[in-house]
């Protein structure tokens, strides 16, 4: 989501005539797009802001824009006070304040304001920022902004505002624009992406939206994340199973495998309902991979409750697990009403236990691909290997100098490990 937001800012800046530079000290405008989902991310944002200060002092004309969840949707006077050298504060997904500031202070023609804002966010006419053009194979399209679910641990709804789906015309226009610029795969984004259109019944469902996107020439793959178990319905599963352009990969976090913990998180399902959903997805979509997010050390999580999460993961053998240690976020329900009573050491221990479990599971899942052929879309070159993904999102590397960028090729797998596989072109 933040990558998508940053691309929109870059796109807007290029329309004002700015070019990308990797050298911060040389930049006229620095945009720091921030995440605060965990304390560590917030600390990192403060750290980066602090390191910008000497440059800003030496070159006061440099414009610093602090953007994203650190700022949030409401004006935050404390932040202004703490970082007086920040010129512009802007909410997640909104290049507007920066564009307006630059137009006002740097004399860009006023009528470009509307154009730039439209280009960047509104009507989907997205032009990829220069560093991405011709190099980027995968594009990101936000389809649901904000979130209204309010899981007790989560700060996102407070910082990104209420859930609202983007109009389908905008999304389709953006997908067409990305395809015209060489993008082969689009990932549709939302905090609860499978709720797309539920806040506006005149919009198509996510399944119908993806079917429409799949008709765009040049778009070869469509993915979507993140789904919530309660909104994953048969129509969506049928779409993934039947539309060859919609990739068989489902990101559907359960966060925990213990009913009490899940209830305390206010997620709205039981471990057994999640188990049956996984079974249903696997039965409906051959070759599907399923990813989850897990938080260990939620307030009050006992050894036994953690065990229940561990055992469920051991049983389900999911394809990917994004693991986090619980981090109390100021203002959330869990921070205000529960005690963060699992020690840091204990959180780490639980974290490592699942990490170790999953490493074995991933190795086992990948080993099944040894000496088999898989279809890979190549995304980028890393050192002397091309990196790509299978339809079900497995990471594959192939040796070679011949450019494979943006190509879909058959690959014979000759090595597998827990994190990736290596193969040669078939
Ligand atoms: N809206 C998506 C993704 C949210 S952020 C969803 O709910 O699935 C990505 C992940 O960060 C979450 O899935 C969760 O596992 C983790 N996360 C969110 N808040 C957290 C917190 N306070 N402490 C630790 N991990 C957290």
């Amino acid at each position: 989501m933040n990558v998508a937001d940053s691309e929109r800012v870059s796109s807007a800046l290029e329309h004002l005539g700015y070019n990308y530079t990797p050298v911060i000290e040389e930049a006229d405008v620095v945009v720091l797009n921030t995440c605060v989902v965990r304390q560590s991310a917030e600390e990192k944002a403060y750290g980066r802001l602090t390191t910008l200060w000497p440059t800003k002092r030496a070159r006061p004309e440099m414009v610093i824009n602090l953007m994203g969840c650190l700022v949030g949707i409401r004006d935050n006077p404390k932040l202004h006070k703490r970082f007086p050298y920040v010129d512009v504060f802007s909410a997640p997904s909104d290049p507007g304040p920066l564009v307006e500031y630059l137009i006002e202070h740097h004399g860009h023609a006023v009528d470009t304001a509307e154009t730039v804002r439209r280009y960047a966010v509104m009507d989907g006419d997205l032009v990829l920022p220069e560093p991405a053009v011709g190099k980027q194979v995968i594009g990101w399209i936000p389809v649901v902004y904000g979130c209204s679910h309010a899981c007790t641990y989560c700060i996102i709804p407070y910082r990104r505002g209420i859930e609202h789906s983007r109009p389908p015309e905008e999304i389709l226009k953006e997908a067409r624009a990305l395809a015209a610029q060489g993008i082969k795969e689009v990932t549709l984004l939302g905090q609860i992406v499978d709720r797309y259109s539920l806040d506006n019944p005149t919009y198509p469902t996510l399944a119908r939206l993806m079917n429409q996107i799949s008709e765009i020439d040049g778009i070869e793959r469509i993915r979507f994340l993140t789904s919530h178990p309660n909104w994953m319905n048969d129509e969506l599963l049928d779409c993934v199973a039947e539309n060859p352009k919609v990739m068989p990969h489902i990101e559907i976090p359960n966060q925990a495998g213990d009913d009490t913990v899940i209830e305390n998180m206010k997620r709205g399902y039981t471990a057994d309902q999640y188990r049956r959903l996984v079974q249903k997805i696997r039965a409906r979509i051959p070759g599907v991979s399923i990813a989850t997010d897990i938080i260990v050390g939620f307030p009050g999580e006992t050894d036994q409750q953690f065990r229940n999460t561990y055992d469920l993961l051991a049983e389900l053998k999911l394809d990917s697990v994004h693991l986090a240690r619980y981090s109390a976020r100021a203002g959330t329900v869990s921070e205000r009403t529960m005690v963060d009573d699992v020690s840091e050491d204990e959180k780490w221990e639980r974290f490592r236990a699942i990490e170790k479990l999953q490493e074995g599971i991933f190795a086992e899942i990948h080993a099944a691909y040894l000496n088999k052929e898989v279809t890979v879309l190549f995304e980028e070159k890393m050192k002397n290997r091309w990196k790509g993904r299978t339809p079900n999102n497995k990471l594959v590397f192939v040796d070679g100098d011949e450019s494979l960028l943006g190509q879909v090729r058959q690959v014979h797998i000759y090595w597998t490990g827990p994190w990736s596989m290596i193969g040669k072109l078939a």
Side-chain angles (χ1 to χ4, degrees), residues 1 35-39 146-147 149 151-157 190-193 225-229 251-255 265 267 292-296 298 322-329 332 334:
M1 191 73 89
C35 168
V36 295
V37 75
R38 287 180 282 274
Q39 188 62 35
C147 184
H149 190 88
C151 301
T152 55
Y153 51 81
C154 192
I155 197 170
I156 295 175
Q191 296 302 334
I192 304 187
V193 72
L225 65 91
T226 301
S227 298
H228 184 290
E251 299 260 352
I252 194 156
N254 62 328
Q255 309 293 359
M265 290 175 162
R267 289 285 294 176
T292 190
D293 294 4
I294 294 288
I295 299 174
V296 297
F298 188 77
H322 309 290
L323 252 187
R325 289 162 293 124
Y326 172 74
S327 167
R329 309 309 292 128
T332 58
S334 65

